[in-house]
Amino acid sequence: MIHSLFLINASGDIFLEKHWKSVVSRSVCDYFFEAQERATEPENVPPVIPTPHHYLISVLRHRIYFVAVIQSEVPPLFVIEFLHRVVDTFQDYFGVCTEAAIKDNVVVVYELLEEMLDNGFPLATESNILKELIKPPTILRTMVNTITGSTNVGEQLPTGQLSVVPWRRTGVKYTNNEAYFDVVEEIDAIIDKSGSTITAEIQGVIDACVKLTGMPDLTLSFMNPRLLDDVSFHPCVRFKRWEAERILSFIPPDGNFRLLSYHVSSQNLVAIPVYVKHNITFREGSSQGRFDLTLGPKQTMGKAVESVLVSSQLPRGVLNANLNPSQGAYTFDPVTKLLTWDVGKINPQKLPNLKGTMNLQAGASKPDENPTINIQFKIQQMAISGLKVNRLDMYGEKYKPFKGIKYMTKAGKFQVRTYQHFLMVQTSM
Amino acid sequence: MLEPDPNYFSSFVCSGEIFELKAELNSDKKEKKKEAVKKVIASMTVGKDVSALFPDVVNCMQTDNLELKKLVYLYLMNYAKSQPDMAIMAVNTFVKDCEDPNPLIRALAVRTMGCIRVDKITEYLCEPLRKCLKDEDPYVRKTAAVCVAKLHDINAQLVEDQGFLDTLKDLISDSNPMVVANAVAALSEIAESHPNSNLMDLNPQTINKLLTALNECTEWGQIFILDCLANYTPRDDRESQSICERVTPRLSHANSAVVLSAVKVLMKFMEMLPKDLDYYGTLLKKLAPPLVTLLSAEPELQYVALRNINLIVQRRPEILKHEMKVFFVKYNDPIYVKLEKLDIMIRLASQANIAQVLAELKEYATEVDVDFVRKAVRAIGRCAIKVEQSAERCVSTLLDLIQTKVNYVVQEAIVVIKDIFRKYPNKYESVIATLCENLDSLDEPEARAAMIWIVGEYAERIDNADELLESFLEGFHDESTQVQLQLLTAIVKLFLKKPTETQELVQQVLSLATQDSDNPDLRDRGYIYWRLLSTDPVAAKEVVLAEKPLISEETDLIEPTLLEELICHIGTLASVYHKPPSAFVEGSRGVQHKRLPGSTGLGESLESPDTGSAAGGSDAPPAVIPSQGDLLGDLLNLDLTPPATTGPPPPPTSGMQLGAMDLLGGGLDSLVFFLFLSPRVQLGGDLGGSSMGAGFGAAPAASPASFSAPVSGGLDDLFDLGGGVGMPMGAYNPPKTVWLPAMKGKGLEISGTFARRAGIIQMEMTLINKAMSVMTDFAIQFNRNSFGIAPAGPLQVLTPLSPNQTIEVALPLNTVGPVMKMDPLNNLQVAVKNNIDVFYFSCQYPISVLFVEDGKMERQVFLATWKDIPNDNESQFQIKDCHLNSDAASSKLQGSNIFTIAKRTVDGQDMLYQSMKLTNSIWVLAELRVQAGNPTYTVSIPLRLKEKKAH
């Protein structure tokens, strides 16, 4: 099982270690540092690294490497999922998951880690249970504790840990009972140079914020549940009911949680909400290249495309770029060759355009790489898959809750490949 | 204003501060104490040594403040090891806490105590632990279960002596699912260090309990339970299906580790489901979406998922064959994800999607990352080799890439083009000119070697081949061995093709290789060429310019038995590294190799753990084409291990002295034993079906499943003939089976059988030409075999065999050839040559063809011999469902030269005493008991038989 955990910051310092079995010397991290050195980018460090006596399994989150040490055969996904849970818990407790926040709350961090694993076996990883065991630090509580000498460790056995609904604590009370659901879809797509879709898929989630008194039993139904053929549920969802009736029936955890995540595969027809017209060319023998890029909305059902951000890694030979945006601002980093253009909102009447020239190193040959254009955007009040919630009902409690559903579509990994006229100056055969 | 929470982290421990902390720890004020412990913990957390405060911190342990208690426990766990004597001070408090009315405190105490790795403390732990394992509160029980694993890690003997393992096993039946999950987890961990112990005694009842707990426990518990379930082997397909049905909902779990563990269970149990079952298809369909979903998770999860998907598509490509697009590489995927995706794209590439794949690969070949670009170029070559229809497009794509003049792209492209030439000889030589243009830019040994190979291989089509090779020769000594060897061979090839102009060149390279080199490989090869060229140029031509075997489609497939084992380990480190778990994880020495269970219909074979694999292996995995070395094995000294054969080697059985008996040394035991194990023996013909396992009285219980496969259908066994009296009598001849499939024979398909006709053994073959060209010049040879069987004449194929023509050939055989004991005994390795190539296959002859016509022993001799043999050497088995009377059986058997010497009738039971003689003058005696009206025959074979000279 999980032996130890090391937290390493971007500059390669181990700033926290925790051992659940015998102590493993921190020199084991040297193997990690070696791998880190070999990697060109921080995110290219391989997630599983073998050492003579241990295995290091790591995730990179918020510019911190969480490195778990294991000694015997343990499913790597198990370890990675656990590390994710650690990150989520820190974020939940401290608002952010940064080195500073962890250092400031080092005792709470230690208490949490101790509570999350016992001898390397996960013990309590549900945020609801943890919060009953260890109260999150707040300025108010810190003050109260200092005055009264009380503690931020719960004295009671967390009830949820043993009930059949371990994710929900008992005795929840609210004056305002409310249940909000956010349907958030991310569209991943690769568009080829001619503008046709190579692959497009949607990763969707339904995040909930439920603050309801007592033990409410909710059902959520959809107008078009057929879209959801590939789903992952929060443990609270009754799977049999879903299988039989395509209805989500569940006793919700208290507070924020992810009810469901789903995947609409590339085999379905996925609508692409923006298009890009681009012309990025270099000519043989010339030290200048042309750059011309126009964005436009399509298939957005009349909703506005907002927070648009375009970025592209220009070829290494590009020295600088003189571009003229019709709206927003652009930057070009001559070191990393990264071009970013903060477009803002797309106005369908006046399409945003970025146009100008790129200068190559004098005498440099034509670049061989194809720049890829990454696009980020948001569309409010629309789920691009067309998923729609039909109704939400509550059983088991008498009061009438406030209910709300929000939809949003975002770009995930949305990439447009460009030309780069693959030279074809035929040499004489 | 109140001060904010002090920043513990920045506190720096120097000796002065230790002193200060000491004072604070001993303070009367609770609050001050707590703050001091917090500071101590904070220092400890960042790796500072605060062990000097041990007694002071332990003094704070006796408190009713839970937080303070927890903090002290934290400290204790960290430092107890270095201060064992001091740690004893804490024991009393622990023992007391284990009796606390608050279950949280009880659990905390037992949990902490287990973490203190000090022997003295563990002794005191036993009693509290025993109580906690039976605590009324499940939270305490579940904590105690893990504590057993901790204790086992510290002192395994103690755990066994105290009987904690049994208590732990009992907890598998606990009413609370979390307790069950933790008990399973603890047992699994303990079992890992005891590979041979039977800790997890899985039976249908426990499995049922685990499946019930699976629905209700936490996600982590589900992982433990699923991993445990994967070790179980269901009794039959029905049980297998019912487990699969109950595991399938886990595929929709949000935790990817749960999903992958569920995939493991399903992949394994699916092996047992009959393929025509509707449920089988449903299950296949259900597996795809969760795997695809894993690919939209974080990159680290994707990586592990991809490594596993790589295994899954090798075992069951049909699951993901329509999901090619999800493996398309995104620009900002981490490199380790990109490389894995590429690998899977190639595995899924087929004629249907090759256009898409190629377009993608071409795109990738212009990316920035060098490693990735190289792999993409290589992938294009692999596509060409894998999907024949795409070869042309692949080659033109590669040419486009060569035109980019990007150095590493060009080199990689040349390496793969060489492979394409190996797969499709004489098809794409037109590109050689383009390749030659890039000769100067090649600086990597692999690319140089590939280019030189191409020049040598096609020397006759390249006008200036000699100049090109000469240019390489200048820096001969600076080249790597790979290039030197290739250059040597290429120049010799060139010389053989154009001897007039290149004499000087070949002299030069031979002297460079033999005289000026200190590399033994190079020298040896140089000398061999030299001698060949000087003694026999014709032979040299045959050797050097020999036709090379085509390279196989997928060279990097995982070897099937390893793949099977890895499928059983989906989701583990083993699956990430594609190595068996025994190969690399410390502390798991002696791990039992897991195998996939076989498909159903053979209930018996599943009970013994090591028999299933044969059946499992027989269906899906494509055979890996043996490497060149094997193919080129010398015809007469075939030292190939025989390919999968139908008869098993005689397994050792108690009570039979099979030990070191040598077939030819007079000991016949293994022969006789074999005789009746072989399903092709006439008597045994009916044994192929389900009666197999039961039919063998003394025979081993474990008969591999594949055993019966080739016999079950269509045997004209005498016992199947019902009232077979009056039927034409003749020797039993098995039907023809395919010996050499057209795939392996480059279009030549051979099927055949053996028969004994008029005292002559004949090999009867059907040759079919499924290739596009005419086949001529047939010849045949046998490897040495158990009975010295050899062709009595040449293979008579008079006319050339034109495409789609079929010819029947009967080859008379004699038994005067060289003898070598084969395994199984009746295995025969055959080489057939034609104008295209030499093909090797092995087949098995029915032992009955070796029964000679004069096998009728004189009664007196028979009686004497029979009496000579002690009774306990007798081996018996039964033949079921034979509806012949003894006379009919007797005459039927005579047709196969099994002679009835005498017949006795006792209590309505006919006893037939029979003899047969083998070609090598070995006599076999048998007794056949037939009871009228009872379709079961009993055959007794006395075992210690003597070799008798022919009368």
Side-chain angles (χ1 to χ4, degrees):
Chain A
M1 287 293 116
I2 302 171
H3 227 91
S4 306
L5 173 70
F6 294 95
L7 302 193
I8 299 173
N9 64 17
S11 48
D13 301 321
I14 303 170
F15 67 92
L16 190 108
E17 59 182 287
K18 166 78 185 137
H19 306 276
W20 282 278
K21 293 183 160 188
S22 50
V23 175
V24 178
S25 158
R26 51 166 70 191
S27 63
V28 75
C29 293
D30 292 348
Y31 294 98
F32 178 80
F33 295 134
E34 271 173 35
Q36 196 185 8
E37 237 164 69
R38 275 195 299 274
T40 44
E41 303 281 332
E43 52 272 15
N44 282 348
V45 179
V48 188
I49 300 169
T51 80
H53 301 288
H54 301 92
Y55 285 83
L56 305 178
I57 297 182
S58 62
V59 302
L60 174 66
R61 288 291 177 281
H62 310 284
R63 303 183 59 219
I64 300 170
Y65 290 103
F66 291 75
V67 184
V69 182
I70 58 173
Q71 198 161 22
S72 53
E73 177 67 87
V74 182
L77 282 187
F78 172 99
V79 181
I80 295 171
E81 283 280 359
F82 176 77
L83 292 177
H84 286 165
R85 217 54 63 85
V86 171
V87 178
D88 294 346
T89 308
F90 287 175
Q91 196 147 23
D92 197 19
Y93 266 70
F94 315 128
V96 285
C97 179
T98 60
E99 187 181 352
I102 292 171
K103 281 178 170 178
D104 284 346
N105 296 288
V106 71
V107 175
V108 177
V109 165
Y110 233 58
E111 286 171 341
L112 280 173
L113 291 177
E114 187 60 34
E115 216 52 63
M116 291 178 84
L117 277 189
D118 175 23
N119 195 38
F121 295 100
L123 192 61
T125 52
E126 283 281 338
S127 139
N128 268 299
I129 294 171
L130 282 172
K131 282 184 175 162
E132 275 186 70
L133 285 168
I134 301 156
K135 303 258 164 48
T138 60
I139 294 180
L140 183 68
R141 184 166 302 119
T142 313
M143 288 196 294
V144 171
N145 285 355
T146 321
I147 302 164
T148 61
S150 65
T151 148
N152 65 346
V153 172
E155 292 279 342
Q156 280 308 308
L157 186 65
T159 45
Q161 201 141 0
L162 292 174
S163 73
V164 279
V165 277
W167 54 85
R168 188 173 178 89
R169 60 195 172 99
T170 47
V172 183
K173 268 209 174 97
Y174 289 101
T175 41
N176 292 324
N177 288 296
E178 45 194 29
Y180 297 115
F181 294 87
D182 289 348
V183 179
V184 181
E185 297 193 337
E186 282 193 8
I187 175 164
D188 288 351
I190 302 176
I191 312 291
D192 79 358
K193 35 198 153 197
S194 60
S196 52
T197 310
I198 292 178
T199 167
E201 47 191 342
I202 296 167
Q203 320 294 343
V205 296
I206 300 183
D207 283 337
C209 176
V210 178
K211 294 181 174 170
L212 296 174
T213 305
M215 272 288 169
D217 198 331
L218 304 180
T219 57
L220 188 71
S221 63
F222 299 94
M223 308 277 266
N224 37 11
R226 275 195 311 131
L227 277 168
L228 303 175
D229 64 343
D230 181 4
V231 282
S232 307
F233 296 118
H234 188 278
C236 68
V237 176
R238 297 182 180 103
F239 188 76
K240 287 229 170 78
R241 188 97 193 263
W242 169 257
E243 285 275 86
E245 302 169 52
R246 298 277 135 174
I247 284 175
L248 293 180
S249 156
F250 56 98
I251 296 174
D254 184 39
N256 294 307
F257 66 101
R258 176 155 296 171
L259 178 64
L260 145 94
S261 56
Y262 57 94
H263 177 252
V264 180
S265 77
S266 54
Q267 287 174 29
N268 301 44
L269 271 181
V270 174
I272 304 290
V274 294
Y275 70 85
V276 181
K277 273 200 275 187
H278 52 79
N279 185 11
I280 303 172
T281 48
F282 300 95
R283 253 185 304 154
E284 198 73 61
S286 159
S287 65
Q288 277 209 333
R290 284 164 44 82
F291 188 101
D292 188 351
L293 197 146
T294 308
L295 290 170
K298 63 172 184 181
Q299 296 174 302
T300 59
M301 298 176 231
K303 303 286 192 298
V305 184
E306 301 167 310
S307 311
V308 181
L309 186 78
V310 176
S311 62
S312 178
Q313 186 84 40
L314 296 185
R316 272 168 295 187
V318 176
L319 269 188
N320 56 45
N322 292 315
L323 306 175
N324 186 20
S326 69
Q327 71 181 74
Y330 84 94
T331 55
F332 176 70
D333 183 336
V335 182
T336 61
K337 313 294 180 198
L338 187 69
L339 174 79
T340 46
W341 175 29
D342 191 347
V343 183
K345 192 169 167 178
I346 296 181
N347 177 355
Q349 268 70 53
K350 189 176 168 296
L351 297 178
N353 169 269
L354 181 68
K355 193 172 177 176
T357 57
M358 297 170 288
N359 293 318
L360 292 173
Q361 253 155 339
S365 62
K366 227 172 65 62
D368 343 283
E369 309 119 58
N370 281 350
T372 301
I373 299 167
N374 287 295
I375 302 176
Q376 286 163 33
F377 56 81
K378 275 184 194 163
I379 305 168
Q380 303 283 0
Q381 299 160 32
M382 180 185 83
I384 192 83
S385 69
L387 186 72
K388 264 208 144 51
V389 171
N390 184 23
R391 53 184 296 143
L392 176 73
D393 297 302
M394 187 182 75
Y395 305 93
E397 297 288 339
K398 297 241 149 51
Y399 55 85
K400 246 189 138 40
F402 295 106
K403 297 182 279 193
I405 308 260
K406 266 198 317 194
Y407 298 92
M408 182 163 68
T409 297
K410 290 196 287 192
K413 287 185 166 180
F414 194 96
Q415 312 186 331
V416 181
R417 292 174 181 164
T418 63
Y419 296 111
Q420 160 60 75
H421 310 274
F422 202 85
L423 67 86
M424 286 303 110
V425 189
Q426 296 277 327
T427 42
S428 53
M429 300 278 284
Chain B
M1 272 300 286
L2 285 158
E3 274 183 21
D5 210 18
N7 186 347
Y8 304 107
F9 189 79
S10 59
S11 55
F12 177 72
V13 183
C14 58
S15 57
E17 202 161 352
I18 294 267
F19 186 77
E20 218 169 89
L21 282 170
K22 213 178 178 78
E24 281 177 41
L25 284 169
N26 290 312
S27 153
D28 301 335
K29 285 188 192 148
K30 249 193 205 167
E31 196 44 39
K32 208 160 195 183
K33 261 191 184 176
K34 201 171 84 183
E35 288 305 307
V37 176
K38 275 192 180 180
K39 282 183 199 165
V40 173
I41 300 283
S43 307
M44 182 183 88
T45 316
V46 292
K48 289 173 188 166
D49 183 16
V50 284
S51 59
L53 295 165
F54 199 93
D56 309 282
V57 176
V58 171
N59 272 337
C60 303
M61 190 173 160
Q62 291 241 10
T63 171
D64 47 4
N65 182 315
L66 192 58
E67 186 184 20
L68 186 54
K69 200 185 264 297
K70 277 192 168 180
L71 290 172
V72 176
Y73 280 177
L74 268 179
Y75 180 90
L76 260 174
M77 282 188 251
N78 214 1
Y79 286 115
K81 185 101 188 163
S82 56
Q83 313 257 340
D85 295 330
M86 298 291 241
I88 289 290
M89 290 163 50
V91 163
N92 260 337
T93 321
F94 277 130
V95 175
K96 213 173 89 198
D97 282 355
C98 285
E99 314 251 315
D100 197 278
N102 183 345
L104 189 58
I105 305 249
R106 294 203 295 276
L108 182 65
V110 76
R111 188 176 127 199
T112 314
M113 245 173 130
C115 292
I116 297 178
R117 306 174 63 85
V118 175
D119 279 344
K120 281 181 190 159
I121 291 212
T122 42
E123 287 165 27
Y124 293 98
L125 175 61
C126 291
E127 276 323 298
L129 177 58
R130 198 185 313 283
K131 269 187 211 152
C132 289
L133 280 168
K134 303 211 158 117
D135 200 286
E136 55 174 20
D137 194 302
Y139 182 71
V140 180
R141 291 202 299 277
K142 111 181 180 158
T143 314
V146 172
C147 192
V148 175
K150 296 180 194 173
L151 192 59
H152 186 271
D153 194 28
I154 304 166
N155 189 340
Q157 196 56 48
L158 186 70
V159 169
E160 277 164 44
D161 295 346
Q162 295 279 335
F164 285 141
L165 292 182
D166 293 325
T167 324
L168 206 50
K169 280 187 218 165
D170 293 343
L171 288 185
I172 291 188
S173 318
D174 199 280
S175 57
N176 185 294
M178 325 281 197
V179 179
V180 177
N182 274 16
V184 168
L187 279 171
S188 307
E189 189 173 79
I190 293 171
E192 212 171 284
S193 51
H194 281 264
N196 299 320
S197 65
N198 197 17
L199 274 178
M200 300 296 264
D201 185 21
L202 295 174
N203 54 48
Q205 286 76 39
T206 46
I207 290 297
N208 202 25
K209 278 171 192 148
L210 291 180
L211 285 168
T212 311
L214 182 63
N215 287 327
E216 292 165 25
C217 66
T218 66
E219 51 199 309
W220 313 109
Q222 296 184 11
I223 300 169
F224 298 137
I225 292 180
L226 286 169
D227 285 349
C228 179
L229 277 177
N231 292 328
Y232 177 66
T233 307
R235 289 160 304 172
D236 52 32
D237 53 332
R238 275 190 308 280
E239 191 185 9
S240 193
Q241 177 174 349
S242 96
I243 295 176
C244 287
E245 277 167 358
R246 294 175 71 178
V247 166
T248 317
R250 298 301 122 205
L251 292 175
S252 297
H253 202 285
N255 185 319
S256 59
V258 175
V259 175
L260 205 54
S261 288
V263 169
K264 162 165 58 188
V265 174
L266 296 174
M267 281 294 287
K268 186 175 169 188
F269 289 8
M270 217 160 120
E271 298 286 336
M272 292 185 61
L273 299 178
K275 289 207 166 41
D276 48 357
L277 196 69
D278 284 348
Y279 182 70
Y280 178 83
T282 317
L283 196 53
L284 273 182
K285 280 201 201 88
K286 281 191 173 168
L287 277 169
L291 289 173
V292 170
T293 303
L294 289 178
L295 296 180
S296 52
E298 288 81 355
E300 308 90 39
L301 295 176
Q302 279 189 48
Y303 171 73
V304 177
L306 285 165
R307 291 295 286 172
N308 281 287
I309 288 173
N310 199 327
L311 296 173
I312 293 169
V313 296
Q314 287 187 55
R315 179 80 192 159
R316 295 196 179 277
E318 63 270 32
I319 294 177
L320 288 168
K321 69 177 175 207
H322 297 303
E323 301 290 346
M324 174 61 93
K325 281 184 174 180
V326 299
F327 298 103
F328 285 180
V329 171
K330 302 214 170 76
Y331 167 71
N332 40 2
D333 283 333
I335 182 73
Y336 54 81
V337 168
K338 284 184 178 172
L339 296 176
E340 288 306 317
K341 281 187 173 174
L342 206 49
D343 222 34
I344 295 170
M345 279 173 68
I346 302 303
R347 295 213 191 284
L348 291 177
S350 66
Q351 201 181 341
N353 56 26
I354 193 72
Q356 262 183 332
V357 173
L358 264 182
E360 281 295 302
L361 292 175
K362 198 171 165 179
E363 200 71 48
Y364 304 160
T366 61
E367 279 216 23
V368 188
D369 191 290
V370 177
D371 283 345
F372 180 58
V373 170
R374 281 174 178 273
K375 192 153 182 179
V377 176
R378 222 160 253 241
I380 296 174
R382 277 171 66 189
C383 279
I385 290 164
K386 188 169 177 197
V387 186
E388 186 162 358
Q389 297 80 354
S390 76
E392 192 127 7
R393 296 172 67 171
C394 294
V395 170
S396 81
T397 306
L398 287 168
L399 283 180
D400 282 355
L401 289 170
I402 287 175
Q403 299 292 0
T404 63
K405 304 280 179 198
V406 177
N407 192 277
Y408 53 85
V409 174
V410 174
Q411 309 213 38
E412 209 63 47
I414 285 181
V415 172
V416 298
I417 287 180
K418 179 205 73 182
D419 288 343
I420 295 176
F421 281 171
R422 284 293 302 276
K423 170 82 181 183
Y424 310 107
N426 304 323
K427 215 168 160 193
Y428 299 107
E429 311 91 81
S430 54
V431 309
I432 293 174
T434 319
L435 302 185
C436 288
E437 286 166 25
N438 294 284
L439 216 62
D440 300 331
S441 62
L442 308 178
D443 53 10
E444 290 163 20
E446 203 182 352
R448 287 174 82 85
M451 190 67 223
I452 293 168
W453 182 87
I454 293 171
V455 174
E457 189 67 15
Y458 294 95
E460 68 273 29
R461 326 253 169 113
I462 306 172
D463 293 337
N464 59 345
D466 49 343
E467 284 168 37
L468 295 175
L469 292 175
E470 201 169 0
S471 68
F472 281 103
L473 207 55
E474 282 160 22
F476 189 78
H477 288 298
D478 301 328
E479 299 283 2
S480 71
T481 310
Q482 190 185 9
V483 181
Q484 290 175 331
L485 287 169
Q486 216 41 268
L487 196 50
L488 173 62
T489 307
I491 291 180
V492 172
K493 278 183 194 163
L494 173 69
F495 172 72
L496 290 167
K497 288 174 179 173
K498 300 180 182 172
T500 45
E501 311 117 73
T502 55
Q503 203 142 12
E504 204 171 308
L505 193 63
V506 82
Q507 290 283 353
Q508 206 181 341
V509 76
L510 286 174
S511 91
L512 278 170
T514 54
Q515 285 157 29
D516 302 340
S517 168
D518 48 10
N519 182 322
D521 287 345
L522 186 63
R523 272 204 317 262
D524 283 357
R525 197 187 281 191
Y527 279 125
I528 289 171
Y529 284 152
W530 203 324
R531 282 177 200 145
L532 266 174
L533 291 174
S534 53
T535 51
D536 188 355
V538 179
K541 216 164 196 165
E542 270 170 34
V543 172
V544 181
L545 301 181
E547 197 168 329
K548 280 157 284 297
L550 300 182
I551 56 174
S552 63
E553 278 183 9
E554 293 205 56
T555 42
D556 58 343
L557 284 176
I558 294 174
E559 190 264 323
T561 47
L562 176 59
L563 181 62
E564 278 190 27
E565 193 179 357
L566 289 176
I567 289 286
C568 298
H569 287 276
I570 282 178
T572 65
L573 282 169
S575 71
V576 172
Y577 284 98
H578 292 183
K579 283 181 190 160
S582 50
F584 68 105
V585 167
E586 228 176 65
S588 60
R589 283 175 295 273
V591 166
Q592 285 181 356
H593 291 268
K594 291 184 193 168
R595 289 289 169 78
L596 291 173
S599 46
T600 47
L602 289 155
E604 309 94 290
S605 73
L606 294 170
E607 278 158 25
S608 104
D610 47 6
T611 52
S613 61
S618 63
D619 51 342
V624 174
I625 295 179
S627 65
Q628 286 172 262
D630 291 342
L631 284 173
L632 295 172
D634 183 359
L635 183 56
L636 289 175
N637 289 307
L638 281 170
D639 55 353
L640 306 171
T641 41
T645 48
T646 44
T653 321
S654 58
M656 299 196 189
Q657 297 135 14
L658 290 174
M661 297 290 206
D662 182 358
L663 168 70
L664 301 160
L668 259 175
D669 296 11
S670 59
L671 170 64
V672 174
F673 192 74
F674 155 75
L675 187 66
F676 289 94
L677 271 181
S678 163
R680 295 233 178 100
V681 172
Q682 182 169 18
L683 276 174
D686 194 36
L687 292 175
S690 56
S691 64
M692 192 74 179
F696 283 95
S703 10
S706 60
F707 195 86
S708 60
V711 227
S712 40
L715 290 191
D716 58 337
D717 184 278
L718 75 158
F719 299 118
D720 281 343
L721 291 176
V725 194
M727 298 290 283
M729 296 294 151
Y732 155 69
N733 296 318
K736 282 182 180 172
T737 51
V738 175
W739 287 338
L740 178 74
M743 288 263 294
K744 287 189 179 161
K746 295 189 183 168
L748 176 65
E749 183 180 291
I750 301 178
S751 49
T753 184
F754 292 88
R756 189 176 184 92
R757 298 193 198 281
I760 294 168
I761 309 169
Q762 292 206 331
M763 185 171 179
E764 298 176 349
M765 288 181 286
T766 306
L767 275 54
I768 306 170
N769 180 356
K770 292 192 173 172
M772 303 306 288
S773 56
V774 173
M775 293 178 178
T776 55
D777 306 335
F778 284 91
I780 192 163
Q781 270 181 300
F782 293 172
N783 193 13
R784 285 187 285 177
N785 53 69
S786 311
F787 294 92
I789 295 179
L795 186 62
Q796 300 287 334
V797 185
L798 293 176
T799 46
L801 199 56
S802 41
N804 284 324
Q805 197 188 343
T806 303
I807 190 166
E808 306 275 347
V809 193
L811 180 69
L813 308 178
N814 59 33
T815 53
V816 297
V819 172
M820 181 173 77
K821 190 177 175 187
M822 298 300 290
D823 189 15
L825 272 177
N826 61 337
N827 193 25
L828 180 65
Q829 293 174 336
V830 182
V832 170
K833 181 181 118 20
N834 64 8
N835 59 326
I836 295 171
D837 205 343
V838 182
F839 310 105
Y840 303 93
F841 59 88
S842 72
C843 54
Q844 291 178 8
Y845 44 88
I847 211 88
S848 58
V849 299
L850 298 171
F851 297 158
V852 294
E853 281 68 19
D854 61 348
K856 187 160 189 168
M857 202 179 247
E858 275 174 37
R859 284 186 76 136
Q860 308 304 331
V861 187
F862 186 94
L863 214 63
T865 320
W866 187 268
K867 280 182 179 160
D868 231 22
I869 304 163
N871 270 343
D872 46 347
N873 278 5
E874 202 169 271
S875 135
Q876 280 202 357
F877 63 93
Q878 294 183 322
I879 302 168
K880 289 197 172 156
D881 295 328
C882 303
H883 299 283
L884 282 179
N885 63 31
S886 58
D887 290 336
S890 165
S891 62
K892 179 74 190 167
L893 284 168
Q894 186 147 358
S896 291
N897 295 339
I898 299 171
F899 300 95
T900 305
I901 308 299
K903 179 179 161 188
R904 214 151 53 108
T905 307
V906 181
D907 302 337
Q909 203 176 38
D910 289 336
M911 315 247 231
L912 300 177
Y913 291 93
Q914 293 166 320
S915 77
M916 55 222 103
K917 184 183 158 197
L918 294 168
T919 48
N920 52 358
S921 304
I922 289 171
W923 288 89
V924 180
L925 311 187
E927 178 196 74
L928 182 66
R929 259 179 268 169
V930 182
Q931 184 139 31
N934 183 348
T936 306
Y937 287 14
T938 306
V939 182
S940 304
I941 309 283
L943 269 183
R944 192 173 51 78
L945 291 189
K946 284 189 179 144
E947 189 176 346
K948 290 262 169 181
K949 289 278 164 261
H951 308 232

